Amino acid sequence: MTSRRLSGFDVFLLFFVTFEMVLGGGGRVFVIAEIPLRQMLFLIVLLRTLYLTALGLCIKKSTLYFVFAFVLFILYGVFLSVIIGSSENWMFDVQPLLYFIVVVWLSMLSKEIELLHFFQKILAWSAFFMSITYVMYFVCMTLGVVSSGIAYHTLGSSSEFIFRPDSDGMFFYKGFFFVAIGALFFFHRSNYALFLLCLSAIVLSGSRGVFLSVLICIELLLLLERRYFLASIIAAVGVTALIGMFSFFSARGGESNAVRVADFDFLYENLSLFDFVFGKGFGYLISGRERIEVVYLEMLAKCGIFSVLFFAFIFFLCVKCCRNSNFSVVSIVFVFCVSFTNPFLLTPMGIFLISILLAASAKYKFNRLLFK
């Protein structure tokens, strides 16, 4: 039941924001009049947040810490880009980070709405839909019912679908990030059939980094639940499967591995010790690119040691606040773990996941509110 300040509009908006985020990949799948739906929804959330703030709705202390950390991080990166001279492209780095604002709105909603349950329902159906669709596509492609050429010409023009070289139609969709979260959810709920379906979609997409991160988080979940024997079995099976994936996709993954090594070499050769400590600022190009696969290496180059402190603070804040939910803890660990190989953490997808888990982490306690 919603309060007089919250309304059915907030529930309606939350549904569409969550649905679009989970299914919409990087944000360019659903477009209206050449404007991404994600940008439209973000603007509505921003206006709604300002309205609810004016009405006097409160936010939790953990939310305020989260907001302060992102504000300081953004200001530091922009300040460096201005004084160093890489300011032409700084907005490219700032734009996705601004999505942290949704945590304020989610924190306000958490007083009346069971955010975690709400998110899990949409996550479960969306992960199932994406997994079954991709597995069926892969089977049809293998049987020759669907031509890989048609799939490439249909989806290849979009940056949301990353086709593997010489893979006969195999691709990774950015929305598979939430398929991995769905796999963790199904495993946590002991729904092993749907867990294996999601895991199959991840394996067939050829994303070794996502598979490895899921495996690590499954092990962590089993340890948290004190299921040590099953943890040892899955560790053995998982490592064997991972070795098989690396062997099977070694040739196809060679290009992406070479790019990561080249990025590391570029930073090693072009950044001084001073740069690694203080950073080059937002907008700094690495090998001529604004974004690279390893988030931590990229932000170390742009914001120096401050980025390490930022990531550590956000991680420990979220884990501490979500420690009563094993699913929330392993989901947060997954976001930080997978970002060693895929740049999800500082995208709207990663920020939204952390925000909704953080906002849902505890019931409102009025003696801990910072605003009234």
Side-chain angles (χ1 to χ4, degrees), residues 8-307:
F9 174 77
D10 290 287
V11 179
F12 181 80
L13 180 59
L14 178 61
F15 171 80
F16 274 97
V17 169
T18 307
F19 181 82
E20 190 282 331
M21 185 61 65
V22 174
L23 278 179
R28 301 178 184 87
V29 175
F30 305 113
V31 178
I32 300 176
E34 298 185 358
I35 301 177
L37 179 60
R38 183 164 300 172
Q39 294 183 11
M40 297 181 184
L41 292 173
F42 174 75
L43 179 60
I44 296 173
V45 168
L46 177 60
L47 295 175
R48 185 63 178 170
T49 301
L50 295 174
Y51 174 75
L52 294 177
T53 302
L55 290 181
L57 260 69
C58 308
I59 64 173
K60 291 179 282 190
K61 184 183 296 184
S62 57
T63 300
L64 192 64
Y65 291 154
F66 187 84
V67 169
F68 279 169
F70 266 88
V71 170
L72 289 175
F73 185 63
I74 291 173
L75 291 178
Y76 181 78
V78 172
F79 173 75
L80 283 178
S81 69
V82 172
I83 64 173
I84 292 177
S86 57
S87 58
E88 294 182 0
N89 304 303
W90 63 266
M91 194 59 194
F92 180 85
D93 288 320
V94 172
Q95 185 176 355
L97 294 178
L98 293 177
Y99 209 84
F100 80 90
I101 295 173
V102 300
V103 75
V104 178
W105 176 63
L106 292 171
S107 183
M108 293 174 177
L109 298 188
S110 67
K111 181 180 178 181
E112 303 292 341
I113 302 173
E114 292 287 349
L115 287 179
L116 186 59
H117 179 67
F118 189 98
F119 169 70
Q120 287 174 339
K121 289 181 65 175
I122 297 178
L123 172 70
W125 282 104
S126 300
F128 169 77
F129 172 75
M130 287 187 284
S131 299
I132 194 67
T133 301
Y134 184 76
V135 170
M136 290 177 62
Y137 156 79
F138 192 88
V139 171
C140 291
M141 183 184 63
T142 303
L143 296 176
V145 178
V146 176
S147 170
S148 59
I150 294 177
Y152 180 80
H153 288 299
T154 304
L155 305 175
S157 60
S158 172
S159 60
E160 299 293 326
F161 300 88
I162 304 171
F163 279 80
R164 307 295 183 186
D166 302 323
S167 61
D168 297 326
M170 182 184 297
F171 64 83
F172 178 79
Y173 173 53
K174 292 181 180 179
F176 286 173
F177 169 79
F178 283 105
V179 170
I181 301 296
L184 297 176
F185 171 72
F186 290 130
F187 190 89
H188 175 59
R189 291 296 181 89
S190 299
N191 193 330
Y192 299 121
L194 292 181
F195 162 73
L196 290 175
L197 175 65
C198 292
L199 197 63
S200 298
I202 294 170
V203 171
L204 294 177
S205 71
S207 180
R208 298 162 296 171
V210 175
F211 178 81
L212 175 59
S213 299
V214 170
L215 179 62
I216 292 173
C217 290
I218 289 296
E219 289 297 307
L220 174 61
L221 182 60
L222 291 172
L223 294 177
L224 290 174
E225 296 175 350
R226 299 181 180 181
R227 300 160 68 182
Y228 304 121
F229 179 71
L230 183 58
S232 61
I233 295 177
I234 290 185
V237 175
V239 169
T240 302
L242 187 63
I243 293 174
M245 281 190 69
F246 271 88
S247 300
F248 183 77
F249 295 112
S250 58
R252 297 168 180 174
E255 182 178 347
S256 61
N257 294 336
V259 170
R260 293 184 178 95
V261 173
D263 291 335
F264 179 83
D265 291 339
F266 175 86
L267 295 176
Y268 180 77
E269 295 173 359
N270 290 275
L271 297 185
S272 64
L273 179 61
F274 180 88
D275 294 329
F276 274 113
V277 173
F278 295 100
K280 300 284 285 187
F282 288 153
Y284 177 69
L285 300 180
I286 301 173
S287 299
R289 288 152 46 225
E290 296 167 320
R291 180 78 71 239
I292 63 175
E293 285 79 1
V294 185
V295 171
Y296 307 109
L297 190 61
E298 175 188 342
M299 288 302 145
L300 182 63
K302 294 179 178 180
C303 294
I305 298 300
F306 189 80
S307 66

